[in-house]
Amino acid sequence: MKKIALPKILLALPEYIFLPILMVSSNGKQKVEMENQIYAIPENIMRGSGTELFDHIAECLANFLEKLGIKDKKLPLGFTFSFPCQQTKLDESFLVSWTKGFKASGVEGRDVVGLLRKAIKKRGDFDIDIVAVINDTVGTMMTCGYDDHHCEIGLIVGTGTNACYMEEMRHLELVDGDEGRMCVNMEWGAFGDDGALDDIRTEFDREIDAGSLNPGKQLFEKMISGMYMGELVRLILVKMAKDGLLFQGHTTPDLLTTGHFQTSFVSAIENKNEGLLRAEQVLRGLGLDSSPEDCVAVQRVCQIVSTRAAHLSAHLSTERLRTTVGVDGSVYKNHPQFARRLNKMVRLLVPDCDVRFLRSEDGSGKGAAMVTAVAYRLAKQHAERQRILDSLRLDRDQLLEVKRRMEEEMKRGLAEKAHTTAAVKMLPTFVRATPDGTERGDFLALDLGGTNFRVLLVRVRSGKRRSVEMHNKIYTIPQDITQGTGEELFDHIVHCIADFLEYMGMKGASLPLGFTFSFPCHQTRLDQGILIKWTKGFKASGCEGEDVATLLKDAIHRSEFELDVVAVVNDTVGTMMTCGYEDPQCEVGLIVGTGTNACYMEEMSNVELVDGDEGRMCVNMEWGAFGDRGELDDVCTEFDRAVDDQSTYPGKQRYEKMISGMYLGEIVRNVLLDFTAKGLLFRGKLSERLKTRGIFETKFLSQIESDRLALRQVRSILQHLGLTSSTCDDSILVKEVCSVVSKRAAQLCGAGLAAVVDKIRLNRDLEKLSITVGVDGTLYKLHPHFASIMRETLRDLAPDCEVTLVQSEDGSGKGAALITAVACRLRDARK
């Protein structure tokens, strides 16, 4: 049997501290065992300083733990604090105002948990983990709810009065989320403070209020609770005596003294069998010589005051046909008629509802223990979730190390000797020039970078009316073709080109073509690209090690029409050229979409794979393979390894698998699977759909992390994944997982880009570099926070570079056409 010891403080009455220790057993059956001790709170401490009050509580707690022989153990503590508080979380509660005769200074507006922690720490002889602070009304509801699951309302009618109930989250505008319910502590004792009860308040109510510690406050409580009921009767008796209606017009010093007619007297006088005898005894104790008629009149006054209190307490609104109200408090328990009158009035007010009252036999202590036990379990689960998510969080030192290692790999990739073993291949593109404005003509562009590809017609105009006009059509490549033969793949591409030319009314036209081919290629000239390896899920046979320009030309010949393949271009280079057409400072291209890559203008003197030292050449980094030699092993998590193991090419493109849109959703899915298997999410229940690889699409991250998306819409995404019973808390956690995974991706991307721009700055021996980066890709464009996090990381890791990020609106196809146009211009010039 597993036992969790839960000591818990309850300030249930103004003059007492009640300290129970509870053993919550878990052996297949619910069981709560409780030991307790009651300690008095002297009146001078109730109205002294807050420091004295919390020191007294800490002293009582120390005494209690010592008696039980558990002072050396650190136990979870539930703190029932029965005063109006503003709670921001379960273990933080700010006192709004004292009630019930308390007036300890320096406490209102402060966190009572913090004050108790400070008092315990000051003693230094024991340690407690304060897990939850709740109101006694909430504790009562939880206590009764332990035995009756219909209990959704808590009511206290004792020294003070209050109520709580389970409210729909969609009605709670002060708390994020609209799914499920949350217990609301009404603090209804303050009802009427705005004048709402003025028409039913009597002169006696006003006199009680004027003589109280908090005039004008807690007016509803002053008409109901035990702290004021006896005093209310006393004032009425004094008035009747002075008017000659009681005691032959006589009063006594005791009758005229505030507080001398106790609420317990009201309960005794209304006793069905001995009430009149008790009335005579009470009056004699006040020095009054009463007649039988006086005793009957006093009993009637008590009945009127207590009945009004019961009827006012009956205003418990409920929309449920069947509900239980958990009730506690000395007035409800000790008054002989209060419970019956309350029940009867509730039936009159809500005749269509079956409202039952369940008296709390254990006080609110058990309920507080239940909340504490649950909170303790949730706190441990939260700590475990954060421990797992911390493996996906990167600090600045880790990001600086990623940047340093990227710089090293860039140098290795450029060096002739190290190139073959380098992870980052730094491939020459033979793109040496950018548009000068004299290019003109019609060009075809083919943009192949994923399962969707585009065919474009690009019309370039020079001179004063310099412009680029584009027409395009998107085609899909079925998965069986991406996994089939190279011949089938390129035949499909050419078929789509023919369809596009017919669509444009240009069937049979022979145009220069730029081929954006977004896979790692080795180039020895502009119109040739030897495929090094497939990425992004492609696996068409007979292509790796072959010239993709030749494969495309062969497929064109098989279709019996002619096109002039002028340039093979990487999509990243195309993006740089597209943005460079508008901004001459654009010398870096970045793609963050299905995959990720970068290119930049490198000094020819550093490009050892190509002859010549003059000028610059665009280098296609193929940085997705960064980490393939172990450079990222220390930041790689079990979730990254799971995604890699299940991928088409395990051990390859490790950097890309931590950043790009093809994999982020899958990382999130693996985290969610782990959380669920450990009982940290979805109540430990997996859906079959969530077990399916690729089912959690990266677009879900963008949708879930949108600041405009309500948690209800997050839940609808989870329901699409078969998680029909997910809660509001599940939605919040899924959103956090998505945020952590996407933030890491943006930071890693920013660290890589910082390495690139810093290398350009050092190449040119500049203290400060001003440069533009052209960016494309669905993840960068559609994710609500990716761009800003990447920009922030870049600014932090490359402080000497002023980087402008320009989003490519026209994709990489336009860049391929522009490179083709430049190549045609240069070729024509040579002729």
Side-chain angles (χ1 to χ4, degrees):
M1 181 176 74
K2 179 184 175 185
K3 289 191 173 184
I4 307 171
L6 302 168
K8 120 116 198 29
I9 292 179
L10 166 62
L11 297 178
L13 298 174
E15 58 270 26
Y16 298 106
I17 298 173
F18 172 47
L19 284 172
I21 184 163
L22 298 101
M23 310 298 286
V24 182
S25 305
S26 175
N27 59 351
K29 295 181 180 179
Q30 288 186 320
K31 187 181 179 185
V32 176
E33 301 169 12
M34 185 164 73
E35 296 181 37
N36 67 80
Q37 176 80 41
I38 294 175
Y39 295 86
I41 305 178
E43 189 170 341
N44 66 304
I45 289 181
M46 288 168 57
R47 301 184 183 183
S49 71
T51 301
E52 292 172 332
L53 173 63
F54 284 95
D55 284 349
H56 178 69
I57 295 171
E59 184 180 348
C60 295
L61 183 54
N63 175 269
F64 181 64
L65 294 174
E66 191 162 355
K67 280 186 176 180
L68 291 171
I70 55 173
K71 201 173 179 183
D72 58 331
K73 296 180 180 178
K74 183 175 182 178
L75 301 173
L77 179 88
F79 185 11
T80 301
F81 190 73
S82 311
F83 302 90
C85 286
Q86 176 73 43
Q87 278 194 259
T88 52
K89 48 190 178 184
L90 197 55
D91 63 347
E92 186 176 78
S93 192
F94 295 86
L95 177 64
V96 176
S97 60
W98 283 119
T99 57
K100 309 174 194 174
F102 274 70
K103 204 74 177 177
S105 62
V107 182
E108 290 182 349
R110 297 183 67 185
D111 173 25
V112 296
V113 175
L115 293 172
L116 180 55
R117 281 190 178 125
K118 185 178 179 182
I120 292 170
K121 186 176 181 182
K122 185 166 65 175
R123 290 183 60 87
D125 57 343
F126 69 94
D127 194 8
I128 285 291
D129 183 12
I130 303 175
V131 172
V133 57
I134 66 168
N135 184 275
D136 58 343
T137 323
V138 180
T140 295
M141 184 188 76
M142 293 292 287
T143 298
C144 296
Y146 186 76
D147 299 312
D148 182 345
H149 293 169
H150 289 289
C151 185
E152 296 188 325
I153 300 174
L155 173 64
I156 298 281
V157 190
T159 307
T161 183
N162 194 16
C164 69
Y165 70 103
M166 297 302 292
E167 178 60 89
E168 302 298 320
M169 280 291 290
R170 64 179 181 273
H171 297 151
L172 295 177
E173 296 182 6
L174 296 178
V175 181
D176 290 337
D178 51 13
E179 295 294 324
R181 296 186 213 140
M182 180 180 285
C183 182
V184 171
N185 168 24
M186 294 178 66
E187 289 298 340
W188 78 356
F191 177 48
D193 291 5
D194 60 351
L197 297 175
D198 285 358
D199 55 343
I200 63 170
R201 289 178 70 224
T202 65
E203 60 183 288
F204 310 111
D205 296 310
R206 283 187 278 274
E207 189 173 346
I208 278 184
D209 179 48
S212 68
L213 291 171
N214 53 349
K217 304 294 183 184
Q218 300 295 110
L219 297 184
F220 191 56
E221 182 170 85
K222 288 168 184 173
M223 298 171 75
I224 292 175
S225 74
M227 188 170 186
Y228 304 98
M229 190 181 290
E231 184 64 9
L232 195 55
V233 170
R234 186 189 70 82
L235 292 174
I236 295 171
L237 298 184
V238 169
K239 168 73 171 169
M240 292 177 72
K242 287 182 177 179
D243 288 350
L245 300 174
L246 281 177
F247 318 130
Q248 298 177 338
H250 296 136
T251 60
T252 65
D254 277 331
L255 182 63
L256 294 173
T257 302
T258 300
H260 274 211
F261 198 101
Q262 299 170 22
T263 296
S264 60
F265 296 168
V266 178
S267 298
I269 290 168
E270 288 193 63
N271 184 283
K272 191 173 183 180
N273 298 319
E274 301 178 347
L276 293 177
L277 176 61
R278 296 289 178 85
E280 193 273 331
Q281 292 171 344
V282 167
L283 295 173
R284 190 186 317 126
L286 294 171
L288 292 163
D289 186 14
S290 59
S291 66
E293 290 79 8
D294 289 335
C295 292
V296 170
V298 169
Q299 187 181 59
R300 183 61 186 144
V301 170
C302 290
Q303 288 171 346
I304 290 169
V305 170
S306 64
T307 299
R308 185 185 74 158
H311 288 177
L312 286 172
S313 301
H315 288 74
L316 294 161
S317 173
T318 179
E319 297 176 357
R320 300 191 171 275
L321 293 177
R322 165 76 175 91
T323 194
T324 297
V325 181
V327 198
D328 200 0
S330 54
V331 172
Y332 182 86
K333 287 182 172 180
N334 299 333
H335 192 284
Q337 306 298 327
F338 193 93
R340 182 183 61 79
R341 292 169 186 161
L342 172 64
N343 204 337
K344 184 177 179 181
M345 181 53 67
V346 168
R347 287 200 303 272
L348 284 172
L349 293 173
V350 282
D352 297 328
C353 297
D354 178 11
V355 181
R356 302 177 189 182
F357 290 83
L358 180 60
R359 179 168 147 168
S360 171
E361 298 300 335
D362 300 316
S364 56
K366 186 197 285 183
M370 292 298 98
V371 173
T372 303
V374 171
Y376 192 60
R377 173 175 59 82
L378 293 177
K380 287 176 70 177
Q381 289 183 340
H382 175 74
E384 175 63 9
R385 284 192 291 260
Q386 292 310 309
R387 184 192 66 77
I388 294 168
L389 289 178
D390 280 347
S391 69
L392 289 155
R393 295 184 172 109
L394 301 176
D395 59 32
R396 188 172 188 271
D397 288 342
Q398 288 174 302
L399 291 169
L400 281 169
E401 182 60 20
V402 169
K403 176 193 173 188
R404 188 190 66 77
R405 293 176 187 175
M406 178 68 84
E407 289 168 344
E408 282 185 2
E409 278 302 302
M410 289 170 71
K411 290 174 185 175
R412 284 175 53 82
L414 288 168
E416 188 173 4
K417 288 182 179 178
H419 174 81
T420 53
T421 59
V424 181
K425 287 300 182 185
M426 306 295 285
L427 303 171
T429 65
F430 294 86
V431 173
R432 301 169 185 262
T434 53
D436 67 359
T438 64
E439 295 81 11
R440 56 180 297 150
D442 292 350
F443 304 91
L444 275 179
L446 179 62
D447 185 2
L448 175 63
T451 52
N452 290 335
F453 77 101
R454 292 190 305 158
V455 184
L456 306 93
L457 173 66
V458 182
R459 292 191 163 121
V460 182
R461 300 290 175 260
S462 60
K464 292 181 179 179
R465 301 181 66 182
R466 179 173 180 260
S467 66
V468 177
E469 177 189 327
M470 291 203 318
H471 304 273
N472 72 83
K473 193 173 180 183
I474 296 174
Y475 296 88
T476 60
I477 305 178
Q479 189 174 4
D480 62 321
I481 289 181
T482 67
Q483 307 291 311
T485 67
E487 192 169 295
E488 290 170 338
L489 173 62
F490 282 93
D491 282 348
H492 177 74
I493 291 169
V494 170
H495 172 76
C496 295
I497 295 173
D499 175 79
F500 177 74
L501 288 171
E502 189 169 345
Y503 168 75
M504 293 299 300
M506 300 175 69
K507 186 176 181 181
S510 179
L511 297 173
L513 181 142
F515 186 9
T516 301
F517 188 73
S518 308
F519 300 90
C521 285
H522 173 65
Q523 288 189 263
T524 55
R525 58 179 194 263
L526 188 60
D527 63 349
Q528 179 195 64
I530 309 297
L531 176 62
I532 296 171
K533 61 182 176 181
W534 282 119
T535 57
K536 307 175 194 176
F538 275 68
K539 208 166 185 177
S541 62
C543 298
E544 291 182 351
E546 299 294 328
D547 175 18
V548 293
T550 300
L551 294 174
L552 179 61
K553 288 173 185 175
D554 291 346
I556 292 169
H557 292 150
R558 286 195 294 274
S559 295
E560 299 181 352
F561 69 94
E562 291 297 323
L563 290 173
D564 180 14
V565 181
V566 173
V568 177
V569 183
N570 183 274
D571 58 345
T572 323
V573 182
T575 295
M576 184 188 76
M577 292 293 283
T578 298
C579 295
Y581 186 75
E582 305 293 340
D583 183 348
Q585 277 199 313
C586 184
E587 296 186 76
V588 182
L590 172 67
I591 298 282
V592 194
T594 308
T596 184
N597 194 16
C599 69
Y600 70 102
M601 297 303 292
E602 178 60 87
E603 305 302 313
M604 279 295 295
S605 57
N606 293 331
V607 184
E608 295 183 11
L609 296 178
V610 180
D611 292 336
D613 288 340
E614 295 300 316
R616 295 175 188 146
M617 179 180 286
C618 181
V619 169
N620 166 24
M621 292 179 65
E622 290 298 338
W623 78 359
F626 178 54
D628 291 4
R629 295 177 59 252
E631 300 88 350
L632 296 171
D633 284 359
D634 53 345
V635 295
C636 203
T637 68
E638 59 183 291
F639 312 110
D640 299 305
R641 287 187 284 274
V643 169
D644 181 49
D645 290 343
Q646 295 161 9
S647 68
T648 308
Y649 291 99
K652 304 295 183 184
Q653 301 295 108
R654 301 299 295 273
Y655 189 56
E656 181 169 83
K657 287 170 184 171
M658 297 172 80
I659 291 176
S660 74
M662 188 168 185
Y663 302 100
L664 291 192
E666 190 61 9
I667 295 173
V668 168
R669 187 184 73 87
N670 275 277
V671 176
L672 301 185
L673 287 175
D674 184 64
F675 276 8
T676 309
K678 291 175 178 173
L680 305 175
L681 185 65
F682 307 134
R683 298 189 182 95
K685 295 176 183 176
L686 271 178
S687 75
E688 287 302 314
R689 283 178 66 80
L690 192 60
K691 293 178 185 176
T692 306
R693 183 170 165 250
I695 196 70
F696 200 101
E697 301 172 50
T698 296
K699 71 176 182 181
F700 293 158
L701 273 76
S702 298
Q703 293 169 0
I704 287 170
E705 290 189 66
S706 170
D707 296 329
R708 299 186 300 274
L709 194 70
L711 288 176
R712 182 181 297 179
Q713 292 165 289
V714 176
R715 191 177 171 195
S716 73
I717 292 172
L718 297 179
Q719 287 173 335
H720 166 73
L721 297 171
L723 299 159
T724 53
S725 60
S726 63
T727 65
C728 179
D729 287 339
D730 290 332
S731 297
I732 292 169
L733 183 54
V734 169
K735 190 168 185 174
E736 183 180 10
V737 172
C738 292
S739 175
V740 169
V741 170
S742 62
K743 180 178 181 179
R744 185 188 69 158
Q747 287 177 322
L748 285 170
C749 196
L753 195 55
V756 173
V757 295
D758 247 354
K759 186 174 192 316
I760 295 172
R761 181 181 66 81
L762 294 172
N763 281 347
R764 300 174 190 181
D765 198 25
L766 297 171
E767 286 188 14
K768 295 285 182 181
L769 172 71
S770 180
I771 197 167
T772 298
V773 178
V775 194
D776 202 358
T778 51
L779 184 60
Y780 181 88
K781 287 181 174 180
L782 301 181
H783 191 280
H785 307 300
F786 192 98
S788 59
I789 294 169
M790 188 185 82
R791 189 180 299 113
E792 180 184 325
T793 306
L794 177 59
R795 190 182 301 121
D796 182 40
L797 302 185
D800 296 323
C801 299
E802 185 182 321
V803 182
T804 302
L805 297 168
V806 176
Q807 187 170 302
S808 170
E809 299 300 334
D810 302 316
S812 55
K814 177 179 173 181
L818 288 169
I819 292 170
T820 303
V822 171
C824 288
R825 169 172 63 80
L826 296 175
R827 186 174 62 184
D828 291 344
R830 284 195 298 272
K831 288 180 182 177

